[in-house]
Amino acid sequence: MKRLIAILTILSAFIPVMATDAERIDVKEIIFGHLKDSYEWHVFSTANRDYVIDLPVMLYSKATGWHFFMSDKLEENGSYDGFHITKEGAHAGKLVETLPDGTELKPLDLSLTKVALGVIINCLLLCIIIMCTGRWYRHHKETDAAPRGFVGLIEYVVAMIVDDVIKPSVGKDYKRYAPLLLTMFFFILVSNIMGLIPIFPAGANVTGNIAVTLFLALITFFTVNIFGNREYWKEILWPDVPVFLKAPVPLLPFIEIIGIFTKPFALTVRLFANMTAGHAIILALTCVIFITAGMGPLIGVPMTGLSLFFMVFMNCLELLVAYIQAYVFTMLSAVFIGLSRQEHHDEKKKEITNN
């Protein structure tokens, strides 16, 4: 216990030197700076400079055409070639173009941002994991002993998701949708875990970006509504309810059609909100250390210890949340797909009768 207090005292003494002045700690900027997307990847900082990875910026303006440059050009004077990052309005944090008459124009932005690069890195990592796992099966027979270690863990997770989630939720066509649902599960899981690691090439808040979660939800949305069978659309457009609920005023069909669009919205917000909240709490607890460091050892030492304890606790909790959110997203997607592949009531009755 004495050693722990001594360590915290030394840490509390050095933090003011690192932070220089507690009043300079902008908690809001630190939290939102991590959660928001950016045109560069901040790796680490020293007292003299920030070490960042400059990313390519690709813009198309209706007024001036295509523009290609690296993000370090924006650091020199805050703008480059008529473009600057706006800090207010609907396009806050994005590049806008200032025309000669003073008006601002939002260009088509195809830049490789931090989140976009994070998605690429996570996809490559996922491909490596799957190919390494598949390599073991190519060199072994079905009669061989079950794999151990990392390959055994992947096999266990795949079997669990297929047997406990996909198969009972989708139904007899589960093999058709299993590759898609497993890919979504592992991509979300890898992205969630990589977002908790603060060291490059990890650290990108991929699943905390609503554009990424919306894209994943749209995959489920199009899969459900494109491959939905006749019974699925019948339940939406002409459900088995009293006629006055669906004609002449299509009250229930209208509600069902709204439900088609609320399902992907729920998937989007659920994943985005949970991952964003976890990152914000961890960053806020980290900022407490630097804020209380300038208040002296009497306050700084216990608050530093308390913050470190809760940071470790929250990181462990976020590891659990990373898995749970991937599991829930996959389960809900499987349920929605299963509802779109439901059988006719007469066929279900025959199947029950035969059994």
Side-chain angles (χ1 to χ4, degrees):
M1 187 66 182
K2 292 181 179 179
R3 291 183 179 180
L4 177 60
I5 295 175
I7 292 172
L8 294 177
T9 304
I10 295 172
L11 181 61
S12 178
F14 275 102
I15 285 176
V17 179
M18 298 166 57
T20 305
D21 187 1
E23 295 180 356
R24 295 176 56 186
I25 301 297
D26 190 346
V27 178
K28 181 179 178 181
E29 180 63 27
I30 292 174
I31 294 176
F32 284 96
H34 172 76
L35 297 179
K36 292 188 300 184
D37 200 2
S38 64
Y39 293 94
E40 62 183 16
W41 194 313
H42 182 271
V43 181
F44 64 93
S45 300
T46 61
N48 299 323
R49 59 173 297 188
D50 295 329
Y51 292 88
V52 301
I53 297 176
D54 299 314
L55 301 175
V57 178
M58 296 171 283
L59 306 169
Y60 176 75
S61 170
K62 295 180 180 179
T64 57
W66 287 97
H67 297 265
F68 302 91
F69 55 91
M70 298 300 292
S71 60
D72 60 336
K73 301 291 184 181
L74 298 169
E75 299 176 4
E76 298 174 358
N77 54 9
S79 63
Y80 179 77
D81 204 14
F83 296 93
H84 70 279
I85 299 177
T86 182
K87 297 182 179 180
E88 299 178 353
H91 305 300
K94 298 297 182 180
L95 281 168
V96 296
E97 182 181 16
T98 304
L99 300 179
D101 59 359
T103 59
E104 291 186 347
L105 177 66
K106 180 67 174 68
L108 176 63
D109 196 343
L110 302 176
S111 305
L112 183 65
T113 61
K114 179 181 178 180
V115 170
L117 181 58
V119 170
I120 294 173
I121 292 173
N122 294 345
C123 289
L124 291 175
L125 178 60
L126 180 57
C127 289
I128 292 172
I129 292 173
I130 299 303
M131 287 189 294
C132 291
T133 305
R135 183 180 179 184
W136 187 93
Y137 289 97
R138 286 196 299 269
H139 293 84
H140 292 78
K141 300 178 181 179
E142 295 182 0
T143 55
D144 293 342
R148 297 181 178 181
F150 183 75
V151 177
L153 175 63
I154 298 297
E155 179 181 325
Y156 170 78
V157 174
V158 170
M160 181 187 64
I161 296 298
V162 172
D163 294 337
D164 297 343
V165 178
I166 300 176
K167 187 174 181 180
S169 300
V170 176
K172 63 180 182 181
D173 291 338
Y174 77 96
K175 291 184 179 179
R176 180 181 182 184
Y177 300 97
L180 171 65
L181 294 170
L182 285 171
T183 302
M184 294 173 66
F185 170 81
F186 279 105
F187 173 77
I188 296 172
L189 180 62
V190 169
S191 298
N192 290 348
I193 294 175
M194 290 287 283
L196 296 174
I197 303 173
I199 304 172
F200 180 83
N205 187 29
V206 172
T207 47
N209 187 291
I210 198 167
V212 176
T213 58
L214 175 62
F215 180 79
L216 292 171
L218 287 176
I219 293 176
T220 301
F221 171 77
F222 287 115
T223 302
V224 168
N225 293 285
I226 291 176
F227 299 103
N229 58 16
R230 183 183 301 177
E231 185 66 18
Y232 167 72
W233 287 107
K234 179 182 178 298
E235 289 294 327
I236 293 176
L237 301 177
W238 195 256
D240 189 13
V241 295
V243 177
F244 69 89
L245 291 175
K246 52 189 176 182
V249 179
L251 179 62
L252 201 58
F254 178 73
I255 296 174
E256 292 290 342
I257 291 173
I258 293 177
I260 293 176
F261 298 96
T262 57
K263 290 174 183 177
F265 176 78
L267 289 175
T268 301
V269 175
R270 180 188 296 272
L271 180 58
F272 162 75
N274 280 280
M275 300 313 301
T276 300
H279 284 260
I281 292 172
I282 292 174
L283 289 169
L285 290 172
T286 305
C287 291
V288 169
I289 299 175
F290 296 93
I291 293 173
T292 58
M295 299 179 182
L298 186 63
I299 298 177
V301 171
M303 289 303 297
T304 298
L306 190 63
S307 298
L308 288 173
F309 170 78
F310 280 109
M311 282 170 57
V312 173
F313 172 77
M314 283 302 303
N315 274 281
C316 294
L317 183 62
E318 280 298 299
L319 285 174
L320 179 62
V321 172
Y323 171 79
I324 291 175
Q325 290 304 315
Y327 183 93
V328 170
F329 192 98
T330 306
M331 180 186 67
L332 291 176
S333 297
V335 169
F336 296 154
I337 293 173
L339 292 174
S340 70
R341 304 298 301 170
Q342 56 186 325
E343 300 176 359
H344 193 274
H345 297 298
D346 295 338
E347 295 179 0
K348 289 183 178 180
K349 291 179 180 177
K350 290 180 181 179
E351 184 177 350
I352 294 173
T353 303
N354 293 333
N355 293 335

